[in-house]
């Protein structure tokens, strides 16, 4: 049988695709921007496998129109809200993601944002570069660039999965009280190990000095943080988001920030990506903005590609892919191409 064809929607770091090429005919989209939907659809129809990013919309139409050929979608991300998984399962299409390897990188970025917003790092950098510090005529002033000290404060983690837990572990170094909310409570031993206390969402919002979001985007988490939730937060509290932009109602957040209902926000993800430069968030001083770089280290992005390769290769060998998102698909169709 001819080798199966995989269409990869962007270039990936490392040599993972070389290994994939031992089993597949690999076609890589070389442009920096995502393939337009119609082009993706066309490629999907003549592919046995796809490697996708969160910027690729894999809806039911695309999955249906690429039947019976398309068998596996290997997502280069931990989140997969861009894929209609239910539809994929129905059609016997395997969906895989890249969990685990990006946990530390994302937790590190979360901490970078927590410290950046509370200690006003980006604002301070602007202060130096713009010459304002120089023009102030003093090298040091007791009231210059005062921020908020996180040591000993309360960290509120919403979504205590792998990433939330890694963020909580780091908080121990700052001697923080850790409270968390998740739709499922952690086992007691894990709570003890993390030193984390389970509370309801309202209590978390009222008590936390730093609220940090680590939920996937689902129907339940869409706009989970809106006007009401923001109004429960302390006026001195900060909101951090490295999960998905749509978990926050951005208009409500902009309003809360403008009206100083909360002290600030640090955001790596947005409802609209890329964020337009004239977006109201860019006009505010009490926010730090980064361009969805939670997993963006050489080490992690390379390991994510390795996992994509492992999934594709396992599938080609007729084995269950190691990080399968929709295990129910095993009942619909066994893994492999020659069936
Ligand atoms: C990135 O946002 C991911 O889900 O991996
Ligand atoms: C210390 O050097 C300060 O400017 O806050």
């Amino acid at each position: 049988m001819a080798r199966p064809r995989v269409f990869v929607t962007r270039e990936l770091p490392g040599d993972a695709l070389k290994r994939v090429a031992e089993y597949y005919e690999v076609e890589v989209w070389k442009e920096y921007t995502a393939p337009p939907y119609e082009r993706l659809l066309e490629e999907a129809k003549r592919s046995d496998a796809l490697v996708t990013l969160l910027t690729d919309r894999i809806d039911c139409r695309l999955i249906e129109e690429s039947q019976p050929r398309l068998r596996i979608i290997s997502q280069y991300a931990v989140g997969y809200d861009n894929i209609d998984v239910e539809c994929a399962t129905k059609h016997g299409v395997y969906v895989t993601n890249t969990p685990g390897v990006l946990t530390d990188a994302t937790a590190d970025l979360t901490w970078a944002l927590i410290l950046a917003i509370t200690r006003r790092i980006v604002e301070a950098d602007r202060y130096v570069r713009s010459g304002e510090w120089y023009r102030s005529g003093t090298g040091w002033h007791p009231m210059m660039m005062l921020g908020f000290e996180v040591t000993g404060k309360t960290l509120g983690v919403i979504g205590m999965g792998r990433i939330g837990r890694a963020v909580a572990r780091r908080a121990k170094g700052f001697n923080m009280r850790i409270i968390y909310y998740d739709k499922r409570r952690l086992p007691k031993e894990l709570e003890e190990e993390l030193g984390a206390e389970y509370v309801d969402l309202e209590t978390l919002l009222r008590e936390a000095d730093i609220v940090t979001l680590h939920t996937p985007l689902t129907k339940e988490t869409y706009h989970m943080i809106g006007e009401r939730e923001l109004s429960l937060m302390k006026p001195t509290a900060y909101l951090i988001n490295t999960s998905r932009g749509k978990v926050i109602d951005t208009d409500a957040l902009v309003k809360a920030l403008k009206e100083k209902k909360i002290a600030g926000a640090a955001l790596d993800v947005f409802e609209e990506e890329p964020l337009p430069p004239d977006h109201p968030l860019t006009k505010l001083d009490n926010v730090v903005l980064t361009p969805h770089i939670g997993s963006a280290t050489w080490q992690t992005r390379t390991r994510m590609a390795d996992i994509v390769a492992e999934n594709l290769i396992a599938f080609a060998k007729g084995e269950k892919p190691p990080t399968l998102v929709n295990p129910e698909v095993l009942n619909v169709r066994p893994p492999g191409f020659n069936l």
Side-chain angles (χ1 to χ4, degrees), residues 54 76-79 102 243-244 292 295 304:
L54 50 100
Y76 181 76
V78 65
L102 48 69
S243 63
R244 284 290 183 267
H292 203 147
S295 64
M304 286 164 65

Side-chain angles (χ1 to χ4, degrees), residues 119 133 139-142 144-146:
R119 294 304 301 275
W133 187 33
W140 198 92
H141 188 282
M144 187 173 80
M145 283 284 153
L146 302 189

Side-chain angles (χ1 to χ4, degrees), residues 91 215 300 327:
H91 292 281
T215 60
T300 287

